[in-house]
Amino acid sequence: MSLARLSIKGISYSQTQNGAYALLLSDMDSNRQLPIVIGAFEAQSIAIALEKEIKPPRPLTHDLFKTFSDRFKITVKQVIIHKLVDGIFYSSLVCERDGIEETIDARTSDAIALALRFDAPIFTYKNILDKAGIYLKDKGESTDIYDSRNIEATEQKESTEETTTFKSEFSQMTTKKLNELLDKAVTDEDYERAAKIRDEISKRS
């Protein structure tokens, strides 16, 4: 299966799930976007990695992993989002040490936080994009990029898995209605809600 390379479009606050955020990945060869729900700690870590000039006073978990890997000459070569099951994205870290590659299972949010620190490319399979990707209307660069300086650095809540429970309201709706709601969620830049609706549509196909 062919791979599609992704870039990070931004991170927005979840409008429906307390303590969660929507990470928006963009296909570099098309206008398809892949929204993934992540926890507050992972959002903080990704945002700090995106804003290179911000250095936390103590290393975050992903920074510690990077330091550990550097010390033992382990490199993360790439991240692959390789599976989507019931709204949960599964990812792998492709690592290398002494010319030998190893593949390690990882949560998608952790994998992306590490990819940023290693300057490693992020990929997904095109069939996952076909199933879970959404098309954004052309609204310029108005995506709500998450500002890491607004994140509380201490007393973080336990991070959530990048999955959501499908609301009963969605299960009772027709596919046509769900597609209408999906378009509205995308227009409103509510990517976390769009991800929920998209996953409900995918379950029916």
Side-chain angles (χ1 to χ4, degrees), residues 84-101:
L84 172 62
V85 179
D86 293 333
I88 303 174
F89 291 91
Y90 293 79
S91 295
S92 298
L93 297 172
V94 180
C95 304
E96 183 182 76
R97 182 173 184 267
D98 295 334
I100 299 174
E101 282 193 357

Side-chain angles (χ1 to χ4, degrees), residues 39 41 47 50 85 94 126 155 182 184 190:
F41 175 79
L50 286 171
V85 179
V94 180
K126 289 191 175 179
E155 298 180 2
L182 178 59
K184 184 178 187 305
D190 186 353

Side-chain angles (χ1 to χ4, degrees), residues 151-162:
I151 306 175
E152 181 61 41
T154 58
E155 298 180 2
Q156 291 291 334
K157 294 181 181 179
E158 182 179 355
S159 63
T160 59
E161 291 291 332
E162 49 267 22

Side-chain angles (χ1 to χ4, degrees), residues 2-14:
S2 58
L3 290 169
R5 186 165 177 176
L6 304 172
S7 63
I8 297 177
K9 181 77 171 177
I11 307 174
S12 63
Y13 293 99
S14 169

Side-chain angles (χ1 to χ4, degrees), residues 71-84:
R71 185 67 57 87
F72 291 95
K73 296 180 171 56
I74 300 169
T75 301
V76 174
K77 304 292 289 185
Q78 62 183 7
V79 165
I80 301 177
I81 303 172
H82 61 84
K83 186 167 64 173
L84 172 62

